[in-house]
Amino acid sequence: IELIKELPKGYRTVFNMYVIDGYSHKQISAALQISESTSKTQLFKARKQLQISPKFKKSKRRWKASVLT
């Protein structure tokens, strides 16, 4: 959870809405007034940033695989 807090605001918002709250990209785009492709891109970048984080590598075992796929 600490890693998620370190994401840039846009990445974090989309990540939380999609992964944690279960919103679709269509719902996220409507709520945030962004395009669906922007929502998808921000989610992709958030996941990528989490995967390359040195802190993630140390805490990798605590994460569910589904969060990052």
Side-chain angles (χ1 to χ4, degrees):
I1 300 206
E2 290 299 318
L3 294 174
I4 296 170
K5 290 179 182 177
E6 294 178 11
L7 291 171
K9 185 179 178 183
Y11 296 2
R12 183 175 64 246
T13 301
V14 171
F15 183 88
N16 285 337
M17 290 179 77
Y18 187 85
V19 174
I20 297 174
D21 299 330
Y23 287 94
S24 69
H25 287 292
K26 186 174 185 174
Q27 292 169 316
I28 294 169
S29 67
L32 301 179
Q33 297 182 347
I34 59 175
S35 69
E36 285 185 56
S37 62
T38 298
S39 175
K40 291 175 184 179
T41 299
Q42 289 188 344
L43 178 63
F44 173 81
K45 289 180 177 181
R47 286 178 169 161
K48 193 69 169 172
Q49 191 167 333
L50 290 171
Q51 288 173 341
I52 63 172
S53 169
K55 291 179 184 177
F56 170 75
K57 291 176 183 178
K58 290 180 182 178
S59 65
K60 191 174 176 179
R61 294 182 186 140
R62 292 184 279 167
W63 282 76
K64 292 182 181 178
S66 62
V67 170
L68 297 176
T69 57

